Amino acid sequence: SNASIYAVPRDDIYDIQAGAIKVGFYARVVLGKDTSDPQGLLILGRNKAAVKRLHEQLEVEHKQSTNFRAATAGAVVGAVSTFAGLAFA
């Protein structure tokens, strides 16, 4: 795949997204409806179409499931530390 999904802290997700875009990634955010959930999903990739396709797929799965985490658990990679520095890029 040309896009990956990362679970990141909800409070930092937009800063990390902005940092990723700044260094040349395409990035999309998916947040669950439960605002008390401390994590969101960040889709990153160098291929714009692949990022868009994965974002659309997650949105469909999210709408079909009442449990945000269950809908995305199989696809999430918990490699937050790799991109934590992007928030400060």
Side-chain angles (χ1 to χ4, degrees):
S1 173
N2 295 318
S4 299
I5 304 167
Y6 299 90
V8 298
R10 187 181 193 108
D11 292 343
D12 301 326
I13 199 163
Y14 290 109
D15 290 334
I16 296 170
Q17 178 188 29
I21 291 168
K22 191 182 209 181
V23 296
F25 285 92
Y26 294 99
R28 299 256 185 135
V29 170
V30 179
L31 296 174
K33 293 175 189 141
D34 181 2
T35 56
S36 68
D37 187 342
Q39 293 196 319
L41 299 178
L42 181 64
I43 304 166
L44 291 178
R46 298 268 185 196
N47 180 304
K48 185 177 184 178
V51 171
K52 181 182 178 193
R53 187 170 43 252
L54 190 52
H55 180 255
E56 290 170 351
Q57 178 184 349
L58 281 178
E59 288 290 331
V60 167
E61 291 175 12
H62 181 216
K63 286 182 175 116
Q64 292 175 347
S65 174
T66 56
N67 185 328
F68 178 66
R69 287 189 183 267
T72 57
V76 174
V77 177
V80 177
S81 61
T82 304
F83 294 96
L86 292 176
F88 307 103

